[in-house]
Amino acid sequence: MKIEAGVPNDWKNITVLSNGFVRLDGCEATDLSVVNSARVSYGMRREEVQLSDEKLISYLMKNKHGTPFEHNMFRFHIKAPIFIFREWQRHRVGSFNELSARYKELEPEWYVPAAVDVRKRVGRPGHYTYERAKTDEAHKFRSSIDMVCRRAFDTYRMALASGIAPELARLCLPVATYSEMYWTVNARSLMNFLNLRNAATAQYEIQQYAIAVEHFFSFKMPVTYKAFIENKRVAP
Ligand SMILES: Cc1cc2nc3c(=O)[nH]c(=O)nc-3n(C[C@H](O)[C@H](O)[C@H](O)COP(=O)(O)OP(=O)(O)OC[C@H]3O[C@@H](n4cnc5c(N)ncnc54)[C@H](O)[C@@H]3O)c2cc1C
């Protein structure tokens, strides 16, 4: 994942993996919205976040008063391999729209892990750990993926050229193929996503995307983010 040093306030795009990105396409999210949606219970409204409001946000987070964290939205444009979208789209609280291979020919772009990211799983179920594959094993694996994906795209393009319907032609494409989607989500659901996907137990590749999402969240809602971290990354 590439984040430019000294990111400006209007920074919007983070490069992830070989060809992917997370781009903040739109955002209506402030700590003040958490404060005011909570304080409406008492008919109160603030113009800006005060010290006592920071305590309130921390209290809401700790005591699982989750609804005040729902009055906001983050709209992300994401490019990632299909296997990552399979995991991501399990997060039901949020909205998704994805590029359609029925309507658009997919670009020959696929994810090949960097040699240092090729890992082996060791241990038993529930207690797995990962260790880096030896250099020659990593290279062999990387070239196999590359070869399979290349062949798959050749077959895909030949099928399209011969008039096979795009929704059938795509059947030969691997889950390493890059796709794009829009994801709109509120802070409460976003924190649940971060808790599960920017975690040591998550697959490394989706974790890289979750780290990018977390950067945007931390910039847009700094007080809420601080409370989330202090609450051991448990969503309210
Ligand atoms: C490490 C890891 C491994 C995984 N492995 C698998 C796997 O092998 N197979 C698999 O199928 N999935 C797997 N998942 C996906 C997982 O089961 C969840 O679907 C996914 O993480 C989304 O979490 P969520 O339900 O909390 O989020 P969301 O769907 O966004 O839901 C947010 C919250 O809303 C509430 N909610 C949403 N829908 C309902 C509902 N129908 N009923 C009651 N409450 C609801 C819950 O409180 C939930 O936490 C894995 C996830 C992780 C992180």
Side-chain angles (χ1 to χ4, degrees):
M1 193 190 68
K2 192 178 126 213
I3 299 173
E4 281 157 34
V7 268
N9 272 340
D10 61 352
W11 124 111
K12 286 201 163 151
N13 207 340
I14 298 177
T15 306
V16 189
L17 302 185
S18 51
N19 296 36
F21 59 75
V22 174
R23 184 174 73 78
L24 187 63
D25 183 66
C27 183
E28 214 302 309
T30 59
D31 292 314
L32 192 61
S33 70
V34 181
V35 171
N36 282 335
S37 53
R39 290 207 185 277
V40 75
S41 303
Y42 298 94
M44 287 170 66
R45 188 173 180 281
R46 296 270 208 236
E47 292 300 327
E48 56 186 40
V49 176
Q50 299 175 10
L51 188 59
S52 59
D53 298 325
E54 296 189 15
K55 289 185 182 148
L56 171 66
I57 288 179
S58 174
Y59 172 85
L60 296 170
M61 187 79 70
K62 214 180 285 176
N63 291 283
K64 287 203 153 287
H65 292 298
T67 49
F69 298 96
E70 296 174 4
H71 298 279
N72 54 74
M73 76 90 188
F74 292 81
R75 184 176 61 246
F76 295 103
H77 175 198
I78 299 146
K79 182 173 174 186
I82 289 167
F83 71 90
I84 289 180
F85 284 171
R86 284 290 302 275
E87 295 186 349
W88 206 315
Q89 290 169 1
R90 296 303 315 281
H91 292 261
R92 294 156 291 178
V93 182
S95 301
F96 296 94
N97 277 90
E98 187 176 353
L99 186 158
S100 169
R102 288 191 78 183
Y103 306 123
K104 165 136 184 13
E105 182 177 334
L106 296 185
E107 296 296 326
E109 284 185 298
W110 54 85
Y111 169 63
V112 179
V116 290
D117 295 331
V118 178
R119 53 204 180 265
K120 290 186 151 188
R121 196 177 70 181
V122 291
R124 60 197 164 83
H127 301 275
Y128 294 125
T129 54
Y130 293 88
E131 54 189 41
R132 198 181 280 184
K134 291 192 188 116
T135 312
D136 56 331
E137 290 172 319
H139 286 313
K140 201 169 155 199
F141 179 64
R142 295 181 78 247
S143 26
S144 312
I145 296 184
D146 213 38
M147 190 180 68
V148 167
C149 291
R150 218 169 276 282
R151 276 202 193 150
F153 263 92
D154 286 347
T155 309
Y156 171 63
R157 288 182 146 177
M158 267 162 39
L160 288 178
S162 71
I164 300 288
E167 58 264 41
L168 286 178
R170 67 179 167 185
L171 299 191
C172 58
L173 294 179
V175 290
T177 307
Y178 273 92
S179 180
E180 290 185 36
M181 69 172 182
Y182 274 73
W183 178 47
T184 297
V185 66
N186 66 46
R188 185 183 190 185
S189 182
L190 188 150
M191 285 187 273
N192 183 52
F193 173 82
L194 295 180
N195 170 264
L196 293 166
R197 303 300 185 175
N198 185 7
T201 44
Q203 176 164 349
Y204 168 82
E205 283 77 12
I206 196 169
Q207 191 183 5
Q208 301 314 298
Y209 281 88
I211 290 169
V213 167
E214 186 159 333
H215 275 278
F216 288 115
F217 175 51
S218 69
F219 270 80
K220 293 293 179 185
M221 299 181 78
V223 178
T224 303
Y225 181 65
K226 183 165 169 273
F228 172 61
I229 298 299
E230 285 170 358
N231 201 38
K232 300 188 171 33
R233 306 177 64 83
V234 177

